[in-house]
Amino acid sequence: MTAVRGTTVDITTEDGTADAYLVHPDDDTTHPAVLFYMDAFGLRPHLRGMADRLAAAGYTVLVPNVFHRSGRTPLFDLPEFIDPAARPEIWGQILPAMQALTPELALRDAPAWLDTLAGSPHAAAGPVGITGYCMGTRLALHTAGAFPERVAAAAGFHGGGLATDAPDSPHLAVARITGEVYLGHADEDPSLPPEQIDLLDKALTAAGVRHRTEVYTGASHGYTQADTAAYDAEATARHWTALLDLLDRNLKRS
């Protein structure tokens, strides 16, 4: 496996300094850039490990702490194995930070993440890819829609609330996307019922967005997160195949 080099970096945003994890292959060349949007449990060792794996596949990856207005990482007192059913008090820590991060604030931050990648000596010039997990799927769609000229591909896995009645619902942002989109939905996910999947697909189709949507049968919300009770090894492997295929096709073209 390709050796990687990761470090914590500080990024200046309009609302203060955000910590982030930046990782890239341990060599002297540039690599296509990927913005990695975290899930609600935050920037922690497991997510750094996922970013490392992506970097080993030939990418320069940035994982920002999107909850930076609430504090630096580690923001939450999480156990090594996260099971909200066993410890429901975890949500008491997380929900205030989630609710405070509106789409408006997330998009105010997005230029800082994209500019950090653009200015990195380890990142190749040109549009980036995005991957997001759980709530990060919403952030990925919003960012791809707000900055279409800067995003060549966007992926989201086990996202929830992607097509709601809210005026800032993610499905309303997809009309401006010009890159390719891949979505790997969880089959057993009350936060994304079939009618939302259908509405999102229709919005993508109507906008002429190149996209592929798959429902991972038997997988729960959070299936890629190996440090949680929702982890599904088979669905996670499928996710890696789909994600790397999307990124390789759109970012590594000769």
Side-chain angles (χ1 to χ4, degrees), residues 95-190:
L95 284 176
M98 284 185 64
Q99 293 166 349
L101 184 65
T102 63
E104 179 184 5
L105 290 179
L107 287 178
R108 197 154 81 195
D109 288 337
W113 317 145
L114 296 171
D115 289 348
T116 296
L117 285 168
S120 171
H122 309 290
V128 308
I130 303 178
T131 186
Y133 299 87
C134 297
M135 71 167 202
T137 301
R138 298 196 297 273
L139 302 183
L141 291 174
H142 278 299
T143 302
F147 304 95
E149 73 287 354
R150 304 186 70 173
V151 180
F157 300 92
H158 45 78
L162 300 182
T164 70
D165 294 332
D168 55 6
S169 173
H171 82 286
L172 300 176
V174 305
R176 299 180 295 276
I177 292 177
T178 57
E180 184 177 355
V181 171
Y182 176 87
L183 297 167
H185 302 307
D187 180 35
E188 300 177 7
D189 189 351

Side-chain angles (χ1 to χ4, degrees), residues 52-252:
D52 289 350
R53 178 167 175 173
L54 194 50
Y59 294 95
T60 293
V61 185
L62 181 71
V63 192
N65 169 21
V66 299
F67 291 156
H68 63 90
R69 293 175 184 83
S70 299
R72 292 181 65 88
T73 303
L75 190 58
F76 311 124
D77 180 22
L78 297 175
E80 288 187 15
F81 182 75
I82 304 167
D83 184 357
R87 293 187 56 180
E89 70 274 11
I90 289 174
W91 290 116
Q93 302 177 49
I94 296 171
L95 284 176
M98 284 185 64
Q99 293 166 349
L101 184 65
T102 63
E104 179 184 5
L105 290 179
L107 287 178
R108 197 154 81 195
D109 288 337
W113 317 145
L114 296 171
D115 289 348
T116 296
L117 285 168
S120 171
H122 309 290
V128 308
I130 303 178
T131 186
Y133 299 87
C134 297
M135 71 167 202
T137 301
R138 298 196 297 273
L139 302 183
L141 291 174
H142 278 299
T143 302
F147 304 95
E149 73 287 354
R150 304 186 70 173
V151 180
F157 300 92
H158 45 78
L162 300 182
T164 70
D165 294 332
D168 55 6
S169 173
H171 82 286
L172 300 176
V174 305
R176 299 180 295 276
I177 292 177
T178 57
E180 184 177 355
V181 171
Y182 176 87
L183 297 167
H185 302 307
D187 180 35
E188 300 177 7
D189 189 351
S191 71
L192 192 73
E195 55 269 25
Q196 285 198 33
I197 295 174
D198 182 61
L199 182 56
L200 177 56
D201 276 344
K202 288 178 177 176
L204 288 162
T205 300
V209 177
R210 290 175 296 136
H211 70 282
R212 183 179 179 188
T213 295
E214 295 185 311
V215 177
Y216 289 21
T217 303
S220 300
H221 182 84
Y223 61 76
T224 62
Q225 304 303 299
D227 60 348
T228 76
Y231 178 62
D232 183 311
E234 182 177 349
T236 298
R238 181 177 175 183
H239 132 274
W240 280 117
T241 298
L243 175 60
L244 291 173
D245 180 61
L246 175 77
L247 296 177
D248 290 353
R249 182 169 58 253
N250 287 279
L251 299 181
K252 289 187 175 181

